[in-house]
Amino acid sequence: MGNICRSPTAEVVLREKLWRVGLATHVLVDSAGTHSYHVGAPPDGRAIEHAERRGYDLSNLRARRVSAADFTRFDLILAMDELNLAELRRRCPPAEQHRLGLLLTYGAGKYGAGVGVSEVPDPYYGGREGFEQVLDLVELACDRLVRQLVERATGPMSVEAGSR
């Protein structure tokens, strides 16, 4: 929603995992919110703290809102939950709807058993355990997304993680 918790976490995790497999220069990764609550603000301090514990640095990111250009700029626009996906669908041109999906789509299927949830829960109003759960789910989904990108590595592809 505001691009300060889940989506910046997903952005940095995905970048790191792409770097590890040599695809970092071939895939453009960005994050954005569906609302303008926090535009220009850094990620939530709790998101930064929990990510740092796992070796990810979110501190240089700043929140932005999804723009109309994003719907053609990115091959995939992955929402953290159904609410944000619905907002993206509302704003996305009909010809670009195929680019939209949920990040946790990559947490199931041929890459392994599902994680038992279809959405990355918003940790903003909860406790510290919520930020750990976000990292667990995002890491799993990003691992599987990267495996799929490696299999399809036929050229540049861009990905955006959208939500708070």
Side-chain angles (χ1 to χ4, degrees):
M1 288 186 176
N3 191 218
I4 61 167
C5 294
R6 297 174 290 180
S7 57
T9 298
E11 175 185 347
V12 169
V13 169
L14 183 56
R15 276 191 187 149
E16 174 64 24
K17 292 180 179 298
L18 288 166
W19 180 81
R20 290 178 189 170
V21 299
L23 288 178
T25 60
H26 299 286
V27 181
L28 174 64
V29 180
D30 198 359
S31 64
T34 55
H35 296 78
S36 57
Y37 305 140
H38 304 285
V39 170
D44 184 286
R46 298 166 295 173
I48 292 172
E49 175 188 340
H50 287 271
E52 281 179 353
R53 289 183 189 161
R54 296 195 191 189
Y56 304 112
D57 182 9
L58 278 62
S59 64
N60 291 325
L61 300 180
R62 295 298 175 263
R64 72 177 190 90
R65 186 173 186 204
V66 172
S67 71
D70 290 338
F71 295 114
T72 55
R73 182 176 181 212
F74 294 94
D75 296 307
L76 292 174
I77 299 176
L78 302 173
M80 299 298 126
D81 60 34
E82 292 287 349
L83 183 66
N84 284 290
L85 182 57
E87 177 62 19
L88 290 168
R89 284 185 175 135
R90 187 185 71 73
R91 294 178 53 201
C92 184
E96 309 305 336
Q97 293 280 323
H98 66 279
R99 300 171 188 267
L100 306 178
L102 289 172
L103 178 66
L104 286 190
T105 299
Y106 297 94
K110 80 182 223 182
Y111 297 107
V115 295
V117 294
S118 61
E119 301 178 321
V120 178
D122 187 350
Y124 188 75
Y125 294 106
R128 297 169 111 33
E129 64 282 346
F131 290 89
E132 288 298 316
Q133 181 184 26
V134 165
L135 280 158
D136 290 343
L137 292 170
V138 164
E139 286 180 330
L140 176 64
C142 287
D143 280 340
R144 293 173 180 173
L145 174 55
V146 167
R147 277 187 242 152
Q148 184 173 334
L149 293 174
V150 167
E151 288 176 4
R152 285 201 263 163
T154 58
M157 182 180 203
S158 57
V159 178
E160 177 176 2
S163 179
R164 182 188 335 227

